[in-house]
Amino acid sequence: MRSHVAAVLAAVALLASACTGTGANAGSGIGTGGGEVGSGRSSLGWEECGDGFECAKLSVPLDHAKPDGEKIELSVIRLPASGDRIGSILLNPGGPGASGVKYARGARTAVSEAVRDRFDVVGFDPRGVGESAPVRCLSTSELDTYVGLDSSPDSPGEVTMLEEGSRRFASGCQARSGRLLPHVGTADAARDMDLLRAAVGDSRLTYLGKSYGTQLGAAYADLFPGHVRALVLDGAVDPSLDPLELNTAQARGFEVALDAFLGDCLTATDCPFRGSVGSARAEIAALLRRADTTPLTNGTGDGRTVTEAWTTLGLITPLYDRQAWPVLRQALGRALKGDGTVLLRLADLLIDREANGEYTNQTESNLAVNCVDAPYPRDSAAYAAAARESAKDAPLFGAYVMWSSLPCAYWPARGGPRAKIDAPGAPPIMVVGTERDPATPYQWSEALASQLSSGVLVGFDGDGHTAYLTGSTCVDRLVDDYLIDLTVPKDGTHCPKIS
């Protein structure tokens, strides 16, 4: 399961170039009251690192069961509060595997001006991610090959290739990062976050987590309910589901989002489809089948083959943000004529493949965290059966999403059973869900809010992944009032569709 917001911001940045035709051809010391100013002091050695930000390293135990044993360093960044400071707000953009340092670098769009005025905005790369003892598994060319594997195999030979590729991925992680793999789970990251809370001088945690960041925030609340000040969990993951159930639900979410996109597309003059949503879906299904046998052309000049897998990734990426839908209209128009260049560029955004061809470690850390967070089946037959079942409700994305977890079948560090998360004794925790969220279905937000003993649900009649600062002034006001003044919204509050 891959779900994060950082790549979506980049997808929107691509909008202008792609739609003008260049994209395809361009080679707490926190008080108990809402407004009380914190008095705690940071123990981190902050240094200026550009554009008003300060950076530091936090030393944490590799194994929290051995606090005096081997240490690793986490990369941390902050933008100091511009006004009457309450304390710090920690951010996590999701993934797992997305860089919190990069996300915080965009603090001026990640949180509102009102929040930036009252809080130091603090981002960090969780263990195994980015600049924090990163997990590494494959070379760039090996990652290109892995991502391009047929993840909706329809023959025994294709299944064998996918199995072999997944084994190579897992063995590569063991060879390059074996000592880290047992210690990169969400519970470990939550314990790190409590050390970071103390290190920035806050007696209680203020936190904004999006997508997978909601799972991290919920785990923190369950481990440290007495250390919670205010948690906003936006675009929630349901921690009660087993991993293949999560895959199935996420695949359905992408289908719902695609239908919403297509309904909107059919009203646009540059939509490459005519007729109904059903007929447009049929054209997309035919496009994916063609890409499976005859890859689309690649105008980037980087030598990659635009297979069905790359095409599917490119189709999924703009579904994360309604503002990127014009890019998807153009990308599909070109793809229907055989040109997969824009879809390939969009796929690169989701997997953090940079313009120079190098990858961040997002893909590797995503699997590393997921595979130890839950007990995945160890037999590929289980994935095949789950893929067939998922395809009944999610014919375009079900098999792809399900097979994408296959490396976990061969993972050297085993995941344990999912623990119940209810965070008894924590103050009110705000859970925000978007009705047509492609990556974290609304039902997951409902489920997490009900599982948390103090969960408060806010719904948003919207499209795209997560709700805060995506256009709803209703959501933004509720989140800001909660973070700053600890004003808790009524459980079940629903924000209307943006007109």
Side-chain angles (χ1 to χ4, degrees):
M1 181 188 65
R2 184 193 305 273
S3 53
H4 64 94
V5 299
V8 178
L9 301 177
V12 175
L14 180 69
L15 178 64
S17 63
C19 289
T20 55
T22 61
N25 299 313
S28 168
I30 294 178
T32 56
E36 296 180 16
V37 178
S39 59
R41 293 182 179 274
S42 173
S43 62
L44 295 170
W46 296 105
E47 296 181 355
E48 292 184 10
C49 54
D51 199 24
F53 287 88
E54 299 170 337
C55 294
K57 297 289 186 180
L58 175 68
S59 179
V60 299
L62 171 64
D63 183 349
H64 280 282
K66 300 176 181 178
D68 296 324
E70 182 180 355
K71 300 293 194 294
I72 57 175
E73 286 192 330
L74 306 185
S75 185
V76 185
I77 190 171
R78 75 173 176 184
L79 181 68
S82 58
D84 189 10
R85 180 181 180 274
I86 295 174
S88 303
I89 179 169
L90 272 60
L91 307 181
N92 183 278
S99 169
V101 170
K102 285 185 178 180
Y103 188 58
R105 279 280 184 190
R108 295 174 178 88
T109 56
V111 293
S112 70
E113 182 179 357
V115 171
R116 297 196 309 273
D117 183 60
R118 304 302 304 279
F119 295 93
D120 296 344
V121 180
V122 177
F124 67 103
D125 286 351
R127 56 173 57 213
V129 175
E131 300 175 8
S132 296
V135 170
R136 283 296 186 183
C137 307
L138 300 175
S139 68
T140 296
S141 61
E142 289 170 333
L143 277 168
D144 279 344
T145 299
Y146 169 77
V147 174
L149 287 172
D150 189 341
S151 289
S152 56
D154 44 29
S155 72
E158 290 179 345
V159 171
T160 297
M161 290 180 64
L162 187 56
E163 289 172 340
E164 291 174 349
S166 298
R167 285 193 183 95
R168 283 194 299 271
F169 196 111
S171 62
C173 289
Q174 176 62 23
R176 299 187 184 193
S177 303
R179 71 184 182 87
L180 287 168
L181 296 184
H183 305 294
V184 296
T186 298
D188 294 295
R191 292 184 174 92
D192 292 341
M193 198 156 65
D194 197 53
L195 295 176
L196 178 56
R197 170 203 59 77
V200 298
D202 290 353
S203 61
R204 294 189 295 148
L205 178 71
T206 302
Y207 173 81
L208 170 63
K210 293 197 168 190
S211 197
Y212 162 79
T214 68
Q215 184 175 328
L216 177 57
Y220 179 91
D222 199 58
L223 288 168
F224 307 104
H227 293 179
V228 171
R229 176 186 176 272
L231 306 185
V232 174
L233 309 181
D234 184 7
V237 175
D238 181 356
S240 70
L241 297 179
D242 75 38
L244 299 193
E245 289 175 329
L246 283 168
N247 283 356
T248 295
Q250 188 177 64
R252 287 197 205 105
F254 287 130
E255 302 272 345
V256 169
L258 179 65
D259 284 350
F261 159 74
L262 290 173
D264 179 79
C265 178
L266 291 169
T267 69
T269 56
D270 62 343
C271 183
F273 306 106
R274 296 292 180 268
S276 66
V277 168
S279 64
R281 284 178 61 90
E283 287 190 64
I284 292 174
L287 170 66
L288 294 175
R289 287 194 299 271
R290 287 198 303 274
D292 191 25
T293 56
T294 306
L296 306 179
T297 61
N298 172 10
T300 69
D302 65 13
R304 282 181 292 167
T305 302
V306 188
T307 61
E308 180 187 8
W310 287 109
T311 303
T312 303
L313 272 174
L315 174 59
I316 285 172
T317 305
L319 298 179
Y320 278 69
D321 192 330
R322 187 184 178 97
Q323 293 182 67
W325 286 3
V327 182
L328 183 54
R329 292 199 298 269
Q330 185 194 78
L332 285 170
R334 296 186 180 191
L336 291 169
K337 298 175 183 177
D339 180 3
T341 309
V342 177
L343 284 175
L344 185 63
R345 290 185 181 278
L346 289 168
D348 286 348
L349 294 171
L350 189 62
I351 60 173
D352 270 10
R353 188 183 191 274
E354 299 176 331
N356 63 3
E358 296 294 321
Y359 286 80
T360 70
N361 86 318
Q362 190 248 101
T363 294
E364 294 151 310
S365 56
N366 178 272
L367 276 166
V369 175
N370 282 332
C371 292
V372 298
D373 263 359
Y376 281 82
R378 309 295 288 189
D379 180 0
S380 67
Y383 296 82
R388 289 192 296 271
E389 191 64 27
S390 182
K392 295 177 182 178
D393 290 332
L396 294 179
F397 303 117
Y400 176 85
V401 173
M402 195 63 66
W403 280 109
S404 68
S405 294
L406 185 60
C408 294
Y410 313 110
W411 209 251
R414 300 212 173 190
R418 285 189 180 275
K420 179 182 179 182
I421 291 181
D422 52 7
I429 296 171
M430 185 175 177
V431 181
V432 185
T434 301
E435 285 189 8
R436 292 172 297 282
D437 190 312
T440 52
Y442 181 65
Q443 292 80 3
W444 290 1
S445 292
E446 292 180 310
L448 179 59
S450 67
Q451 289 163 39
L452 292 169
S453 61
S454 58
V456 176
L457 177 66
V458 171
F460 169 46
D461 181 5
D463 300 285
H465 188 34
T466 73
Y468 180 56
L469 296 189
T470 63
S472 170
T473 56
C474 169
V475 171
D476 297 349
R477 174 180 52 81
L478 292 171
V479 170
D480 285 355
D481 288 349
Y482 168 70
L483 288 173
I484 296 169
D485 299 319
L486 298 181
T487 302
V488 180
K490 182 180 178 181
D491 185 31
T493 298
H494 210 80
C495 288
K497 190 172 183 177
I498 302 168
S499 59

